[in-house]
Amino acid sequence: RYVAFWNGVHVYVRGILRNQQSLFGEIQLNGMVMNAAPQPLTLTFRSTSYPDEVRTAEVGPTGWFWVTGLEPRLYTLHVKGAKWLAQNITVDLSSGDVGTVNLTLPGGDADNNNIVDVEDLSVLVASFDAAPGDSNWLSGADFNCDEIVDVNDLALFIENFDMIGDA
């Protein structure tokens, strides 16, 4: 239950007042068109001596996201989308909210294995010229999220070929 709003959200949990922090910023999805539907991203908050905390954020063309209810500590934030390479960034929530996250996730990872390689090209070729509803439609190959697999998706693949995302 919310008690107050000051330098984070204070939440009453099991009889004690705990300070919870918020994280917000911008995560750009490489090549995403301006009329694209929001895409789910997995945000994994890693902190020494604590279990990982996993959240999901829906990110649209503006890239804006907001996560609340985080413990005040130092994290490595690992961000991964189904067709984008993962990126890591250090986030220090020990002193309060942070609103300076700014990342760009490279596209081209059609098989979601965090590498842009020939296997992704195979997926792209198999679904080339396809749109939702077509028998060969594979959403993982639509890197720019315009609902057609075409030369624009191939260009994003070529731009990021041989890249490996952060572990």
Side-chain angles (χ1 to χ4, degrees), residues 8-162:
V9 176
H10 296 274
V11 183
Y12 195 74
V13 179
R14 293 190 185 147
I16 61 171
L17 190 64
R18 297 178 59 191
N19 188 18
Q20 301 286 297
Q21 307 301 345
S22 296
L23 176 71
F24 53 97
E26 188 177 338
I27 302 171
Q28 292 297 320
L29 303 176
N30 176 229
M32 183 182 225
V33 296
M34 288 308 296
N35 62 343
Q39 300 293 307
L41 300 179
T42 302
L43 285 65
T44 305
F45 293 85
R46 300 172 178 162
S47 185
T48 307
S49 303
Y50 296 95
D52 289 354
E53 186 167 341
V54 179
R55 303 285 184 92
T56 300
E58 293 277 327
V59 176
T62 65
W64 291 107
F65 77 99
W66 186 354
V67 178
T68 60
L70 296 164
E71 293 296 321
R73 60 177 70 113
L74 181 67
Y75 295 97
T76 298
L77 173 59
H78 178 81
V79 182
K80 176 75 173 92
K83 41 190 162 184
W84 295 277
L85 298 177
Q87 295 287 311
N88 294 340
I89 187 172
T90 301
V91 177
D92 188 357
L93 294 171
S94 60
S95 300
D97 298 341
V98 172
T100 56
V101 172
N102 191 349
L103 291 173
T104 298
L105 302 186
D109 186 16
D111 61 2
N112 197 21
N113 69 351
N114 211 24
I115 303 168
V116 178
D117 57 14
V118 294
E119 284 84 16
D120 302 300
L121 179 60
S122 295
V123 174
L124 181 81
V125 168
S127 58
F128 201 78
D129 273 340
D134 292 345
S135 61
N136 62 330
W137 168 252
L138 298 167
S139 64
D142 182 20
F143 304 131
N144 65 355
C145 304
D146 66 351
E147 298 194 338
I148 187 160
V149 179
D150 59 14
V151 294
N152 297 311
D153 301 298
L154 178 60
L156 286 168
F157 169 81
I158 292 168
E159 175 184 333
N160 299 312
F161 184 72
D162 253 357

